[in-house]
Amino acid sequence: MSDQLTNDNIMAALSQVRDPEIGRDLVSLGMVKGIDINGTAVDLTVELTTPACPLKAKIESDIVEGLEALGASAVRVDWASNVKRSFGGPAADLIPGVRNTIAVASGKGGVGKTTVAVNLAVSLARDGARVGLLDADITGPNVPLMMGTGGAHVTGSGGRVNPVISHGVKMMSIQYFLTGDAPVIWRGPLIHSAIQQFLRDVEWGELDYLVIDLPPGTGDAALSISQLIPLSGAVIVTTPQEVSLLDARKAIAMFNKVNVRTFGVVENMSGFVCPDCGGEHDIFGSGGGTTIARELGLEVLGRIPIEPGVRSGSDAGVPITSAQHPAADASAAAAAMRELARTVAGRVSVVAAPFAEAATA
Ligand SMILES: Nc1ncnc2c1ncn2[C@@H]1O[C@H](COP(=O)(O)OP(=O)(O)OP(=O)(O)O)[C@@H](O)[C@H]1O
Ligand SMILES: [Mg+2]
């Protein structure tokens, strides 16, 4: 038994370990939930701010290093998580059980917003978070098909509506209210009231993250959402072509105008790895996302390659990141999507940190 291995000394050592994302130490963030000392073996429970923590390995190695310096011979970290809210106040009343909201948007259509939103939601759920996915594209709802729920219909009673659940994600879409393929031609006020109902009348329950798939452009749906509920932040999807980048700038400007933080840019369809020759081809160019991100002081949150399995997975209702997709573990695009989800979860935790503090103060 090392005499240095006391509760106090361990806490002091852990107060030197920082959560690299939030930039503060584990003790002052209240992340250390239990310490069990058995001779020179130490078991601890650390509560992360997201189960999709991008820097778990780094935190773990820093903990082990700190405790070994005190004489510990075996350190076991049990991970727990508690996702905090990143907003407060009456604006959040419409969605009382929802802790964070992530809008996925783009200026230009067809760049892969829905694909990114769906895989973001599925990845967060696979990491253990409670996730909802709201299809805010009222005129071109694509979430149901991509999640394999194209034929689902809403259920509920007493004015409450149950979400449809697939791949571990709770969803709502106008598609679940429609019969047949009749196109939806709705104008602004109706779009606003449909989205309001999706938020207010759906039994979302407790959600760590509500991912919102927005229609292309800077129209009514994006404005409605930002007026109705607080947004933790927006993720802007672009492809590397110049025209897509130009439109991405407009989307970012719109979010700035309504005081919604943009987490950063996702460059989708960034390069194609040829399955025959193994060479990488820049079909739409590459690096354009980096250029606008730099220009606007934003971050590139991820780069997703073009991969046939992404499209076929979407068409078949099995997203590439779903455990049910046969290529989920081999696909570079799936790996990029899962990493993107963790990066975004990390950014949300940073936004939530001051709110959590205010709530416990
Ligand atoms: N990385 C990728 N690799 C291969 N195909 C992709 C990739 N990303 C998206 N796609 C395909 O591109 C098409 C358009 O994607 P998606 O529907 O997600 O775009 P969108 O921006 O939501 O479009 P809209 O503006 O119509 O809402 C889909 O067929 C999708 O499967
Ligand atoms: Mg879409």
Side-chain angles (χ1 to χ4, degrees), residues 1 21 33 39 46 53 74-76 131 195 208-209 246 250 260 279 330 359:
M1 164 115 193
E21 185 92 46
K33 292 296 175 191
V46 174
C53 180
V75 177
R76 201 184 81 197
V131 184
I195 289 177
D208 295 322
Y209 305 101
L246 200 72
K250 287 186 197 151
V260 172

Coordinates of all heavy atoms in Angstrom, one line a residue, residues 1 21 33 39 46 53 74-76 131 195 208-209 246 250 260 279 330 359:
M1 N 0.9 -1.2 0.0 CA 0.0 0.0 0.0 C 0.9 1.2 0.0 O 1.8 1.4 0.8 CB -0.9 -0.1 1.3 CG -1.5 1.2 1.6 SD -3.3 1.1 1.5 CE -3.8 2.8 1.6
E21 N -11.5 19.3 -24.0 CA -12.5 20.0 -24.7 C -13.0 21.3 -24.0 O -13.0 22.4 -24.5 CB -13.7 19.1 -25.0 CG -14.8 19.6 -25.9 CD -14.5 19.2 -27.3 OE1 -14.3 18.0 -27.6 OE2 -14.6 20.1 -28.2
K33 N -16.9 10.8 -9.8 CA -18.1 10.4 -9.1 C -17.8 9.3 -8.0 O -18.7 9.0 -7.2 CB -19.1 9.9 -10.1 CG -19.7 11.0 -10.9 CD -20.5 12.0 -10.1 CE -20.9 13.2 -10.9 NZ -21.4 14.3 -10.1
G39 N -5.5 -1.5 -1.8 CA -4.1 -1.6 -1.9 C -3.6 -0.6 -2.9 O -3.8 0.6 -2.7
V46 N -15.8 8.2 -13.6 CA -15.8 9.5 -14.2 C -17.0 9.7 -15.0 O -17.3 8.9 -15.9 CB -14.5 9.7 -15.0 CG1 -14.4 11.1 -15.7 CG2 -13.2 9.5 -14.1
C53 N -17.9 11.0 -26.2 CA -16.8 11.8 -25.9 C -15.6 11.6 -26.9 O -15.2 10.5 -27.0 CB -16.3 11.6 -24.5 SG -14.9 12.6 -24.0
A74 N -2.6 -0.3 -10.6 CA -3.6 -0.6 -11.5 C -4.7 0.4 -11.4 O -5.2 0.7 -10.2 CB -4.2 -2.0 -11.2
V75 N -5.1 1.0 -12.5 CA -6.1 2.1 -12.4 C -7.2 1.6 -13.4 O -7.0 1.3 -14.5 CB -5.6 3.4 -12.9 CG1 -6.7 4.5 -12.9 CG2 -4.4 3.9 -12.0
R76 N -8.4 1.6 -12.8 CA -9.6 1.3 -13.7 C -10.6 2.4 -13.7 O -11.0 2.9 -12.6 CB -10.3 0.0 -13.3 CG -11.1 -0.6 -14.4 CD -11.8 -1.8 -14.1 NE -13.1 -1.4 -13.4 CZ -13.8 -2.2 -12.7 NH1 -13.4 -3.5 -12.5 NH2 -14.9 -1.8 -12.1
V131 N -31.4 10.1 -28.4 CA -31.4 11.0 -29.6 C -32.7 11.1 -30.3 O -33.4 10.1 -30.5 CB -30.3 10.5 -30.6 CG1 -30.2 11.5 -31.8 CG2 -28.9 10.4 -29.9
I195 N -44.1 22.9 -37.8 CA -42.9 22.7 -37.0 C -43.1 22.9 -35.5 O -42.6 22.1 -34.7 CB -41.7 23.6 -37.5 CG1 -41.3 23.1 -38.9 CG2 -40.6 23.7 -36.5 CD1 -40.3 23.9 -39.6
D208 N -31.0 13.7 -25.0 CA -29.7 14.4 -24.9 C -29.5 15.3 -26.1 O -29.0 16.4 -25.9 CB -28.6 13.3 -24.8 CG -28.7 12.5 -23.5 OD1 -29.0 13.0 -22.5 OD2 -28.4 11.3 -23.6
Y209 N -29.9 14.8 -27.2 CA -29.7 15.6 -28.5 C -30.9 15.5 -29.4 O -31.3 14.4 -29.6 CB -28.5 15.1 -29.3 CG -27.2 15.1 -28.5 CD1 -26.7 13.9 -27.9 CD2 -26.5 16.2 -28.2 CE1 -25.5 13.8 -27.2 CE2 -25.3 16.2 -27.4 CZ -24.8 15.0 -26.9 OH -23.7 14.9 -26.2
L246 N -20.5 29.1 -51.9 CA -21.1 30.4 -51.9 C -22.4 30.4 -51.1 O -22.7 31.2 -50.3 CB -21.4 30.7 -53.4 CG -21.6 32.2 -53.8 CD1 -20.3 32.9 -53.7 CD2 -22.2 32.3 -55.2
K250 N -24.0 32.0 -47.2 CA -25.4 32.6 -47.0 C -26.0 31.9 -45.8 O -26.6 32.6 -44.9 CB -26.3 32.4 -48.2 CG -25.9 33.3 -49.4 CD -26.9 33.2 -50.5 CE -26.3 33.7 -51.8 NZ -26.9 33.1 -52.9
V260 N -27.7 32.4 -33.9 CA -27.4 31.0 -33.6 C -26.0 30.8 -34.0 O -25.5 31.1 -35.0 CB -28.4 30.1 -34.5 CG1 -27.9 28.7 -34.4 CG2 -29.8 30.3 -34.1
G279 N -6.8 4.7 -55.7 CA -6.4 6.2 -55.8 C -7.5 7.1 -55.3 O -8.7 6.7 -55.4
A330 N -16.3 -1.2 -41.8 CA -15.2 -1.1 -42.8 C -15.2 0.2 -43.6 O -14.2 0.6 -44.2 CB -15.3 -2.2 -43.8
A359 N -26.6 26.4 -13.1 CA -27.7 25.6 -12.5 C -27.3 25.0 -11.1 O -28.1 24.8 -10.2 CB -28.0 24.4 -13.4

